[in-house]
Amino acid sequence: MIEALRKITSNRYIAMFMLIACMAMWFSGSGEIPSAQSHGGLAYDFIKDRFAWAATSKAISLLLFLAACFMLYEINMMFSIIKVKTSFHLTLFLFIAAALRFNDMTAGHYSAIFIMLSILFLFYATFKAEHNFKIFQTGAYLSIASVFYAPSLWLIPVYLLGIAYLNMMNIKSFWAFIVGLIFPYWIISGICLYTDNWQMLPQILTELHPEQFFNLTSVGMTDAIAACYMLSLTLCGAIYIGMSSTEEKTATRSFLHFFLFCSFACFLLMLIYPEDIRSILFMQAPFTSIMAARFFVQASGKASPVILATFIAAGIFVLCLPLITN
């Protein structure tokens, strides 16, 4: 069974098959923008009003999804989060996307891209003597993510904690991050001044206001099961990180812990904004896929193949759940 697991996690063709399968099923369903989502961002609202057609929203969400796949692959390749050379983290991300039906355009599709870009530049900063400009870019990309999904701003404390945890926190890096956060909104203020339309800035605060704070009764059964599935995968990866962290390089251990911070922060956001669970699940999926894939690729215990088979079966169940309930 261990040998079978090794073949699955090291086979690149499985990732290609999953990518083709995801693209094939992408245009299935209505393609409507989820009506339950009540929070977005200035840029997302602008795009949603102009590209509300089913085919267009599907095409845009597919492009964003492919960009997320590329970013996830790049992060692992650049920083060797997983010791073994593998694309299983990408396979797992594609499987999660298929199981949780991430084929509708949500604010989370846009936000996830820029959050991953911000993480990429944050990790780059750890290898640069003059890292302040990279930290400025980290803050700027996180701020751009909030322009598409405003609650992304609640990740600011997690990023500050991450900068400190990565031993880069000082007065200059702190202000570089803050200025990066302000920069996109400074540009938006210039647009407001030019157009003499100041309604956009108050909208940011409106989007941050939770309408159903911790009201889990508003979450549908399918979304609740999807969130539990993601939480189980995340805990699987988190436990393995805790057990094997002493065997990792200091930089790799710090990166993994930052993924953990971001992942559990996303679960907290799901409690604060239960009506936006689809958006937040997409934002959180890259963190879970790379942590869980690391467990399945590197773990040598006999239980690993059984756990993987269980999660595959559970994913297929989550995929088929809407058909069962309807």
Side-chain angles (χ1 to χ4, degrees), residues 37-64:
Q37 178 174 295
S38 59
H39 296 87
L42 297 174
Y44 175 71
D45 292 340
F46 178 84
I47 293 171
K48 181 178 67 173
D49 294 339
R50 285 156 180 78
F51 299 102
W53 306 287
T56 309
S57 66
K58 287 287 188 183
I60 293 173
S61 64
L62 177 59
L63 290 174
L64 293 169

Side-chain angles (χ1 to χ4, degrees), residues 17 29 41 79 104 118 123 128-129 162 168 185 196 223 259 283 322:
F17 171 78
F79 305 106
D104 288 322
S118 69
F123 290 178
K128 302 289 183 181
M168 294 186 294
Y185 289 100
D196 196 24
D223 288 342
F259 278 133
M283 289 167 50

Side-chain angles (χ1 to χ4, degrees), residues 141-173:
Y141 281 120
L142 178 60
S143 187
I144 294 172
S146 73
V147 175
F148 289 98
Y149 183 61
S152 302
L153 287 174
W154 293 117
L155 294 177
I156 291 174
V158 179
Y159 273 74
L160 289 173
L161 177 63
I163 293 170
Y165 190 76
L166 293 168
N167 297 318
M168 294 186 294
M169 180 61 77
N170 53 49
I171 296 297
K172 288 184 178 180
S173 61

Side-chain angles (χ1 to χ4, degrees), residues 74-81 120 123-124 126-127 252 255:
E74 189 71 11
I75 287 173
N76 184 61
M77 285 294 293
M78 291 297 297
F79 305 106
S80 300
I81 306 297
L120 187 65
F123 290 178
Y124 273 141
T126 60
F127 298 104
T252 304
F255 296 156

Side-chain angles (χ1 to χ4, degrees), residues 121-134 168:
F121 280 96
L122 178 62
F123 290 178
Y124 273 141
T126 60
F127 298 104
K128 302 289 183 181
E130 295 294 331
H131 55 247
N132 292 328
F133 183 62
K134 295 295 182 186
M168 294 186 294

Side-chain angles (χ1 to χ4, degrees), residues 170-184:
N170 53 49
I171 296 297
K172 288 184 178 180
S173 61
F174 174 80
W175 284 111
F177 182 72
I178 297 300
V179 172
L181 288 171
I182 294 171
F183 183 69

Side-chain angles (χ1 to χ4, degrees), residues 26 53 88 115 169 174 184 221 290 307:
W26 205 263
W53 306 287
F88 187 68
I115 287 175
M169 180 61 77
F174 174 80
M221 184 182 70
I290 202 166
I307 295 172

